[in-house]
Amino acid sequence: MRCRDRCAACCIAPSISSPIPGMPNGKPAGVPCVQLDEQLRCRLFGDPRRPVVCLGLQPEAEMCGSDRQQALDFLSELERRTAH
């Protein structure tokens, strides 16, 4: 499965605790990553500075749903369930 154009749910909904260039303390859930460009694509894609957690997150039907809102809802709920 490929990422949906202009989605970026995985770069917005989850929190990231590891440093991101431009976000040295990571990012809270629901906050867009500063590395998203105007087309909602990751500027760090393929860059070794990209956080390991981002590398491990791969699009799949259950996570992505049928549209961007379903992906945001799914990942937001997952974040809520796994928050500590």
Side-chain angles (χ1 to χ4, degrees):
M1 186 168 180
R2 298 183 67 176
C3 287
R4 180 180 293 115
D5 273 345
R6 302 190 61 81
C7 178
C10 59
C11 302
I12 298 168
S15 61
I16 298 177
S17 58
S18 57
I20 302 165
M23 298 180 104
N25 298 315
K27 69 168 225 56
V31 173
C33 179
V34 297
Q35 294 301 330
L36 285 174
D37 68 14
E38 295 76 26
Q39 288 76 41
L40 298 178
R41 292 192 176 132
C42 179
R43 290 184 183 100
L44 295 177
F45 196 83
D47 186 314
R49 298 175 299 157
R50 189 172 179 213
V52 173
V53 67
C54 299
L55 294 171
L57 191 58
Q58 298 295 314
E60 49 187 65
E62 182 181 18
M63 178 179 73
C64 298
S66 62
D67 60 31
R68 180 176 191 255
Q69 189 59 54
Q70 283 186 358
L72 283 164
D73 291 345
F74 179 89
L75 289 167
S76 294
E77 179 61 24
L78 185 62
E79 177 69 27
R80 281 189 289 280
R81 290 181 182 191
T82 59
H84 25 48

